[in-house]
Amino acid sequence: MSKLRVAVLGAKGRIGSEAVRAVEAAEDLELVAALGRGDSLEALTDTGAQVVVELTTPASVMDNLDFCVRHGIHAVVGTTGWTDERLAQLNTALAASPGTGVLIAPNFSIGAVLTMKFAEVAAPYFESVEVIELHHPNKVDAPSGTATRTAQLIAAARQKAGSAPQPDATATGLDGARGADVDGVPVHAVRLRGLLAHQEVLLGGEGETLTIRHDSLHHSSFMPGILLGVRRVVDTPGLTFGLEHFLDLK
Ligand SMILES: NC(=O)C1=CN([C@@H]2O[C@H](COP(=O)(O)OP(=O)(O)OC[C@H]3O[C@@H](n4cnc5c(N)ncnc54)[C@H](O)[C@@H]3O)[C@@H](O)[C@H]2O)C=CC1
Ligand SMILES: O=C(O)C1=N[C@H](C(=O)O)C[C@H](O)C1
């Protein structure tokens, strides 16, 4: 059986360099391009890449995906910064390129995907819920894509269940002290040397709290999810948002 031809964008970055090694080590995949900032995207078509793993920056991802989708190259995207407007733009591009698949995964690690799922399930059973994400200080975006997605899933689950707004008597204080408001869920971002990627979901009810915590201790935690995405996206046209759809965890 012929190997899937894979390219990595952001190949010199923290996660991109790990992804290069993971693709090289996979027997069913062939790394045909490893591109960094300033490299021409023509290398993707020249080398016949079938799937691109996009791990760059929120500022670069849209142009890169536009090129891939226009050329019928599937993409597995870990880069953050997704908004409704960006997703609509991507969906429009995909509609013009039937058969092309794009997976956007706010987080590729199985523990983080499960954290989101557990938080979604638990959220309607508690009065209060807040998200704290903790990352290395070189991260350019805040809050993290994972925390934003977690808060959105929590908010949707609470709305569906008819949950009341969260109790919060805060009337005065410093701007930002209560975190960012993502669909009514407070999200707090910590940047600390020594950390990699961590998240806590704090849930509180009468006389009890529940804490769901996940820690990515090494970039290797994201590799099984990236490889799964590469293998599945080629048979999944259109936009898939969240690795849970490839884990039968919806
Ligand atoms: N979904 C997930 O599980 C994960 C997602 N990420 C996300 O992946 C992205 C990258 O994270 P890091 O590796 O930590 O950042 P990084 O800054 O270490 O790496 C990004 C790399 O992309 C390169 N780059 C920028 N524009 C480019 C372009 N147009 N073409 C090719 N390369 C380009 C940069 O020069 C840099 O080497 C971030 O958005 C981060 O949040 C990171 C870890 C896990
Ligand atoms: O920048 C990172 O490191 C990470 N980014 C992703 C995010 O913003 O959620 C995934 C993970 O948290 C690591």
Side-chain angles (χ1 to χ4, degrees):
M1 213 172 75
S2 62
K3 295 185 178 190
L4 256 182
R5 299 170 67 77
V6 180
V8 176
L9 296 185
K12 293 191 176 131
R14 280 175 290 271
I15 183 169
S17 51
E18 189 78 21
V20 164
R21 285 190 286 277
V23 171
E24 282 177 328
E27 288 184 356
D28 57 332
L29 309 180
E30 180 184 357
L31 183 76
V32 295
L35 306 183
R37 190 191 293 274
D39 290 341
S40 169
L41 294 177
E42 299 296 333
L44 301 176
T45 42
D46 292 349
T47 57
Q50 295 167 282
V51 185
V52 154
V53 180
E54 218 289 353
L55 301 166
T56 64
T57 66
S60 299
V61 64
M62 292 308 286
D63 286 347
N64 288 341
L65 288 183
D66 179 63
F67 182 95
C68 292
V69 172
R70 272 193 294 111
H71 290 86
I73 302 171
H74 309 284
V76 171
V77 184
T79 304
T80 44
W82 290 98
T83 59
D84 288 346
E85 294 72 28
R86 283 180 164 217
L87 291 172
Q89 192 181 326
L90 180 56
N91 268 320
T92 302
L94 281 165
S97 183
T100 306
V102 173
L103 166 70
I104 298 172
N107 203 302
F108 287 111
S109 90
I110 181 70
V113 174
L114 288 172
T115 298
M116 289 186 254
K117 189 71 200 169
F118 296 157
E120 185 182 12
V121 171
Y125 295 96
F126 292 84
E127 270 187 77
S128 305
V129 52
E130 307 215 1
V131 178
I132 306 173
E133 56 96 330
L134 310 89
H135 281 81
H136 58 88
N138 302 102
K139 185 168 176 57
V140 296
D141 58 312
S144 71
T146 307
T148 303
R149 183 65 180 152
T150 305
Q152 289 168 343
L153 292 170
I154 288 168
R158 288 172 69 89
Q159 188 185 24
K160 191 173 169 198
S163 306
Q166 301 205 44
D168 183 357
T170 309
T172 64
L174 290 180
D175 282 352
R178 294 288 293 116
D181 180 329
V182 178
D183 298 347
V185 179
V187 179
H188 311 269
V190 175
R191 296 292 173 266
L192 201 71
R193 185 68 69 203
L195 295 182
L196 199 160
H198 317 258
Q199 178 165 289
E200 284 189 1
V201 181
L202 311 180
L203 302 116
E206 197 62 47
E208 63 173 336
T209 66
L210 170 66
T211 302
I212 306 168
R213 180 174 173 110
H214 174 256
D215 300 274
S216 265
L217 306 172
H218 190 272
H219 280 98
S220 55
S221 62
F222 305 114
M223 296 307 123
I226 288 180
L227 297 181
L228 174 68
V230 166
R231 292 172 180 130
R232 290 285 304 273
V233 76
V234 292
D235 297 321
T236 315
L239 178 59
T240 303
F241 196 93
L243 189 68
E244 61 272 22
H245 296 282
F246 288 176
L247 292 165
D248 297 326
L249 245 183
K250 296 151 277 170

